[in-house]
Amino acid sequence: MGPRTELLVSDFLNAFQVFYYFFRTIPGPSIHEHLILTPAAYLKDGVLVEEVDVYHIVFFVRRGEPYIAIGDGEKLLTTFKGKDAYRAAHYYLEELPFPE
């Protein structure tokens, strides 16, 4: 693992800094605050970014690549990788039927 990759999941940064580095977007105020208060080291295991209806959006970093996973609390539905992962996750959730 290179120095940049190690820095992205270290205690030197917070999760928001890494989120912004990859996705170049600022989420809503409560999400923003939560990510600022979360050490980037937690991104190795995944950080809950937000909940949309019954779905959980989780951000994690593997081998220097950003991932967004969507699950329903019981099972993983899908995972997106790369700089458009966060946007793709929201698009995916917009297309899902409303859970019953």
Side-chain angles (χ1 to χ4, degrees), residues 37-99:
L37 296 173
T38 304
Y42 288 19
L43 294 172
K44 294 176 193 174
D45 297 322
V47 172
L48 177 66
V49 175
E50 62 184 297
E51 295 179 23
V52 177
D53 295 325
V54 298
Y55 303 107
H56 299 199
I57 298 175
V58 176
F59 171 43
F60 62 98
V61 176
R62 294 285 185 279
R63 294 177 298 283
E65 294 284 335
Y67 290 83
I68 296 288
I70 299 176
D72 64 5
E74 304 249 335
K75 64 181 178 181
L76 177 67
L77 298 175
T78 192
T79 304
F80 299 94
K81 175 184 173 184
K83 65 181 175 84
D84 294 323
Y86 186 66
R87 188 169 40 113
H90 276 277
Y91 180 76
Y92 175 84
L93 289 174
E94 288 172 12
E95 300 301 313
L96 283 178
F98 190 77

